[in-house]
Amino acid sequence: MNEEQILKGRLIDLAKRAYQQNIYTYSNFLSAPELSLLDDIKEEISFIHHECFGGNELSERQLVGFGSEDEFGYTNPFPIQVIKITPIQEKFSDVLNHRDFLGALMHLGIERDTLGDILTKEKTAYLFCLDSIAGYICQELTKVKHTHVKCEMADMNIPALTPSLVDEKFPVASLRLDGIIASLLKCSRSEALSLFTDKCVTLNGRVTGRNSIILKEGDVFSIRGHGKFIFEHSGGSTRKGKIYVHIKRYV
């Protein structure tokens, strides 16, 4: 049995336990390719409501939660905590990136699936993690690279976690997703195609290998390592017949 089959079985078991015991159940944090496995088992878990959430609307790593207020008669929040990680002395801090924070957390022996996204804002990071591991992280994470840091629980609704959108407009030959990505990233079509092969592209929350799909207004797509985008609309054309597309980029 491979890892995908094991994960599918685990999700089905969570759905059954929620249904049989009338309680909310949750997976650990799943990556976009792992979340896409839900499509393969949707008929097997159709007897109960499920939804995905990772802390905010930009989250790539998310939990799957089974159950709803209509089914159980009560609500229950996702077991996610936000931790703010800041240098103790900012002026002496290293320049820290996502990999630095993740490496420091892995050094503590923490399982990757207990951790969600890590959002970096200058020298500060906001970590989404399971409630059950938050206290341990706040107590044990004291250093990232050569920088001494402090950790504190944060409100999930703080302004620093609110994404903003930037408008972008550029011409494309067609509204195919691979062509739009090539223009957006200023790369070749073959480089854009490799992103699909490497499962780096998600469309409306699911990994997609359909590079030729035509985008519709409101479609949300993300490219691993490059960000998340909303396809707003197309309109107007260049003298050479290319179509202008309007995209909103999350920043």
Side-chain angles (χ1 to χ4, degrees), residues 94-240:
D94 295 318
V95 176
L96 303 174
N97 58 33
H98 180 279
R99 181 176 294 181
D100 297 324
F101 288 103
L102 181 58
L105 290 160
M106 295 292 95
H107 187 69
L108 296 178
I110 295 171
E111 296 292 333
R112 183 65 178 99
D113 64 0
T114 64
L115 306 175
D117 288 0
I118 303 171
L119 306 181
T120 56
K121 306 278 187 177
E122 297 179 351
K123 295 182 179 181
T124 297
Y126 295 89
L127 165 69
F128 295 96
C129 67
L130 293 181
D131 281 346
S132 58
I133 201 73
Y136 176 76
I137 293 173
C138 286
Q139 180 178 344
E140 298 296 328
L141 184 62
T142 59
K143 198 173 185 181
V144 178
K145 285 184 69 175
H146 305 294
T147 299
H148 292 278
V149 298
K150 62 179 179 180
C151 300
E152 57 186 327
M153 306 288 189
D155 189 327
M156 202 171 291
N157 297 314
I158 60 176
L161 296 178
T162 302
S164 56
L165 295 166
V166 173
D167 292 319
E168 297 193 17
K169 174 185 174 183
F170 50 87
V172 294
S174 75
L175 300 184
R176 284 171 50 130
L177 181 53
D178 55 0
I180 287 175
I181 287 177
S183 296
L184 187 62
L185 302 185
K186 297 179 173 60
C187 67
S188 67
R189 180 64 67 91
S190 62
E191 289 174 318
L193 288 175
S194 70
L195 294 169
F196 290 88
T197 303
D198 295 338
K199 298 184 178 180
C200 294
V201 181
T202 64
L203 177 63
N204 298 323
R206 294 290 182 266
V207 173
T208 181
R210 298 174 60 196
N211 59 287
S212 62
I213 193 168
I214 302 299
L215 290 184
K216 307 184 301 297
E217 290 185 15
D219 278 342
V220 179
F221 65 97
S222 63
I223 311 161
R224 190 193 310 157
H226 298 280
K228 188 172 185 178
F229 311 87
I230 302 173
F231 179 73
E232 283 281 280
H233 61 88
S234 61
S237 59
T238 67
R239 291 181 179 179
K240 294 184 177 181

